[in-house]
Amino acid sequence: MSGVDYTQALEGASKTVTRADGSKLHTVALGSGGRPVLLAHGYGFTADEWNLVAPSLAERGLQVIAFDQRGHGRSTIGTDGIGSLQMASDYGAILEAYAARNAILVGHSMGGFLGITFLVERLEGADRVGAALLMATFAGDVNRENPQNRLQIPLIKSGILVKMLGIGAVGTLFTKSLTGDDYVPGYADAFVPTFRAQDHRSLVPILQALVDENRYDKLGEIDLPCTVVVGSKDATTPPFHTADLHAGIPGSSLVTLDGKGHSLNWEAPEAIVEEIVKLAAA
């Protein structure tokens, strides 16, 4: 998309949701009166990853709630620490804070993994979700048949990759590994500074959870309309993950975006918006 500023901050009404363990979750809301949509970003991103998707959803009459995941961006880590259950439970707290009912949960990558955890573990607030869109994501076991993740995750955990991203060419290559055929430099301009700004040392437990945990055998417990979206060139969560999600979630729909990669929030925002609008209408 030419002429797009991928670095723009997501603008809206900000609110801090404070959890019982002291963690403070930064949220941004756009639109009002329509069906609520909770946007959950991936690892190393922030709510700003939705800067193209969220305004379009609000223009379509939906109430949009985006947030920085625990330990990311402007959200802090409370005494319960970092982990899949702690972070997934934040979803319920945010939905409750906004009195959201029949919400559409949209999860990208780690955000989708945590969304699946939220639903199948039936955490408090899961009954506030009426539909889900799982985007470039998985139900765990993220290293399965994936040499890219087996290389990148240890480099992130060690801090080596974050240091290397200070070299422009490395930042470009890393961002290209997260995109498909239509890479533009603006992706790296937006992603690399955001990724480098995170305290990855504190996030090691969730990185390990992505590798060690596996909830594919619980997918049949997701009993709500669900759309699974994947880019055909996604090397981070390859299409076999989303095929397994589609097979495991009863009645789900599978949408494959040809030539797109892992960063569908920027590579195919219009397609993501349309799929969310379809869920809202249904």
Side-chain angles (χ1 to χ4, degrees):
M1 295 170 60
S2 61
V4 175
D5 180 8
Y6 297 96
T7 67
Q8 62 186 315
L10 177 60
E11 297 182 355
S14 298
K15 177 161 71 173
T16 299
V17 176
T18 303
R19 301 297 318 277
D21 74 334
S23 60
K24 297 183 181 299
L25 307 174
H26 174 79
T27 71
V28 181
L30 300 80
S32 60
R35 190 170 178 181
V37 179
L38 182 68
L39 300 175
H41 68 76
Y43 182 87
F45 287 86
T46 68
D48 291 340
E49 83 154 64
W50 302 109
N51 53 10
L52 304 184
V53 171
S56 294
L57 291 172
E59 289 171 4
R60 302 289 284 270
L62 298 171
Q63 179 193 13
V64 184
I65 306 159
F67 67 102
D68 290 351
Q69 299 269 12
R70 176 181 292 233
H72 290 71
R74 293 147 287 190
S75 291
T76 65
I77 302 171
T79 56
D80 288 347
I82 288 289
S84 62
L85 294 178
Q86 302 95 306
M87 297 175 76
S89 72
D90 291 339
Y91 291 27
I94 293 169
L95 290 170
E96 181 180 2
Y98 280 91
R101 293 285 184 184
N102 197 28
I104 300 171
L105 171 58
V106 180
H108 174 211
S109 196
M110 179 192 74
F113 166 74
L114 294 171
I116 291 168
T117 302
F118 179 54
L119 296 174
V120 303
E121 302 296 344
R122 304 185 186 280
L123 300 180
E124 185 174 353
D127 59 346
R128 293 178 179 271
V129 177
L133 185 138
L134 302 174
M135 179 180 109
T137 191
F138 51 97
D141 197 15
V142 77
N143 275 355
R144 173 164 54 105
E145 300 178 38
N146 197 318
Q148 176 174 294
N149 287 349
R150 290 177 183 273
L151 171 65
Q152 290 182 351
I153 289 176
L155 288 175
I156 295 170
K157 290 164 66 175
S158 69
I160 293 173
L161 179 58
V162 177
K163 292 179 180 178
M164 291 174 63
L165 290 176
I167 303 170
V170 176
T172 298
L173 288 172
F174 184 44
T175 308
K176 283 185 175 180
S177 76
L178 303 176
T179 55
D181 292 339
D182 301 320
Y183 170 82
V184 296
Y187 298 159
D189 294 340
F191 173 68
V192 173
T194 299
F195 191 85
R196 294 191 73 202
Q198 311 306 327
D199 180 5
H200 295 276
R201 291 173 298 177
S202 69
L203 297 173
V204 165
I206 192 60
L207 277 174
Q208 197 60 45
L210 306 183
V211 175
D212 292 343
E213 297 181 15
N214 187 326
R215 294 185 173 86
Y216 283 98
D217 61 347
K218 293 187 175 184
L219 292 174
E221 300 175 22
I222 298 179
D223 184 21
L224 45 76
C226 181
T227 301
V228 181
V229 186
V230 65
S232 66
K233 296 294 183 70
D234 189 340
T236 303
T237 52
F240 65 77
H241 275 291
T242 39
D244 289 348
L245 294 181
H246 174 48
I249 301 172
S252 62
S253 300
L254 176 62
V255 176
T256 301
L257 301 177
D258 189 48
K260 304 302 181 184
H262 190 63
S263 302
L264 298 177
N265 50 301
W266 291 327
E267 294 180 79
E270 301 94 340
I272 299 304
V273 168
E274 288 305 317
E275 294 301 330
I276 296 169
V277 168
K278 286 179 186 177
L279 280 172

